[in-house]
Amino acid sequence: MKGSKRLFGEVEGRPVYEYTLENSQGMQVSAMDYGATITAIKTPDKDGKLENITLGFDSVEPYAMYRPYYGATIGRVAGRIAKGQFELEDKTVQLTVNEGANHHHGGSPAFDSHFWEVEMETELKSDESSLTFTYLSPDNENGYPGNLEVKVKYSLTEANEWKIQYTAKTDKTTLFNPTNHVYFNLTGNHVNGILDHQMQLNSDFYAPLESDSIPTGDLLDVADSPFDFRQAAPLKTGIESTHPQTVSNRGYDHPFILNEDTKGRANGQISDPMSKRRVRFYTDRQAVVVYQNNWAEGLYEIDGETVQPYSGVALETQMLPDAIHHTNFGNTILKPGEKFYSETIYAFDLI
């Protein structure tokens, strides 16, 4: 295992560093201390060509300017909270609203727009190396109660796995539902898009959305709908569908409920018929939100080419969005004395 560090630019006069982990097979995972953000994951294709299979920039400045959430740690709460308001311990909490009338991805600025402390651990003969990012989110940040200490650990293994481990504790009852917003494009070039990627999910139900992308509270059977990925199907399924949910969202931006009993199998996977790359994911979270960069507006470039819709696909493992308003959506409340822990693993190979 090897590790390295380089200057990646600066934000508000403060230097930003990118850290890279590399295993003996040449796979690399890179992340920066601004936003605890994944900047690149490099894996070989069927011909052994090593390429970045995520959307990312070659310096920090576009991340700070455009805030596209590429590879970002999202929090305190991933997704949207209706009106940014909820009841907690008989008190009304009002968060900042930053997407229409709703609170989105922790507010602005949120986890993705702050500096994190970093500790890198690499040992030449170890089967795993890691980057541990730490951030203290102060009481009332974007309206959230409590001083929240968060650690996000990224590990790279010799089995070509990228592990994410979240831990957190708070001194007041609050909400916590983090995710990572990495976008995969297994072709190694965002210009190719991801609509021909094949996706398979061990999921029997999905959560439909209102017009403002807040979940309705229903959980619907995927059968006979473009949300049925129990058998592998191309991601363009949703783009070509006339289903009202996919039409209004230009494709998928939906939570899929993950089946609980997978008997050690992956919760889901995507693969690319062109490069033969595959990513499988394993998580202890209840759901995965699948988003295809549907609303990319061509405001910026990667490697000299304008980023277009459907250039990448995010597999955001998390508890269901807006869970605080839906009793059937699981628990996102974290109390003093409790220790939050969650793990998601992305495993990379070839088909």
Side-chain angles (χ1 to χ4, degrees), residues 4-18:
S4 61
K5 173 184 175 181
R6 72 179 180 113
L7 186 65
F8 201 58
E10 64 176 44
V11 174
E12 297 178 354
R14 178 171 172 177
V16 176
Y17 293 95
E18 180 189 57

Side-chain angles (χ1 to χ4, degrees), residues 57-84:
F57 304 106
D58 58 8
S59 68
V60 69
E61 286 79 10
Y63 292 95
M65 181 179 296
Y66 299 110
R67 203 185 179 204
Y69 299 118
Y70 290 172
T73 295
I74 303 297
R76 296 185 187 191
V77 172
R80 298 165 179 88
I81 297 177
K83 312 301 183 189

Side-chain angles (χ1 to χ4, degrees), residues 56 106 108 182 314 319 329:
S108 181
V182 68
M319 301 302 285
F329 271 24

Side-chain angles (χ1 to χ4, degrees), residues 6 12 34-35 50 55 84 110-111 119 131 136 164 167 170 172 198 200 267 284 306 349 351:
R6 72 179 180 113
E12 297 178 354
Y34 183 73
L50 196 70
L55 300 187
F111 283 5
E119 181 182 357
L131 297 167
L136 178 62
I164 312 174
T167 55
T170 181
K172 292 181 183 177
Q198 297 279 317
Q200 184 272 325
N267 296 104
D284 56 15
T306 301
D349 63 4
I351 55 173

Side-chain angles (χ1 to χ4, degrees), residues 276-303:
K276 303 299 183 183
R277 293 182 176 101
R278 176 173 69 166
V279 181
R280 290 169 292 160
F281 71 92
Y282 305 78
T283 186
D284 56 15
R285 298 291 85 188
Q286 175 191 25
V288 60
V289 174
V290 177
Y291 179 59
Q292 303 167 289
N293 214 14
N294 310 357
W295 300 93
E297 299 295 347
L299 297 176
Y300 42 79
E301 297 179 347
I302 294 176
D303 297 331

Side-chain angles (χ1 to χ4, degrees), residues 200-271:
Q200 184 272 325
L201 298 175
N202 293 317
S203 170
D204 296 331
F205 296 90
Y206 76 98
L209 308 174
E210 303 281 7
S211 60
D212 60 356
S213 295
I214 295 289
T216 65
D218 297 323
L219 299 177
L220 302 184
D221 197 313
V222 300
D224 301 318
S225 81
F227 296 91
D228 191 350
F229 284 94
R230 291 174 294 185
Q231 300 296 320
L235 282 171
K236 62 185 175 186
T237 300
I239 310 303
E240 297 174 347
S241 170
T242 58
H243 193 287
Q245 282 286 311
T246 54
V247 169
S248 62
N249 288 280
R250 293 188 185 177
Y252 301 111
D253 187 13
H254 293 78
F256 290 77
I257 317 310
L258 298 171
N259 297 343
E260 292 184 9
D261 186 11
T262 57
K263 295 182 172 63
R265 294 177 292 122
N267 296 104
Q269 63 179 39
I270 56 172
S271 61

Side-chain angles (χ1 to χ4, degrees), residues 85-94 175 324-325 333:
Q85 190 178 93
F86 51 89
E87 298 297 315
L88 197 62
E89 295 185 333
D90 299 323
K91 295 181 180 178
T92 299
V93 176
Q94 179 63 60
L175 300 189
I324 191 65
H325 290 131
I333 297 173

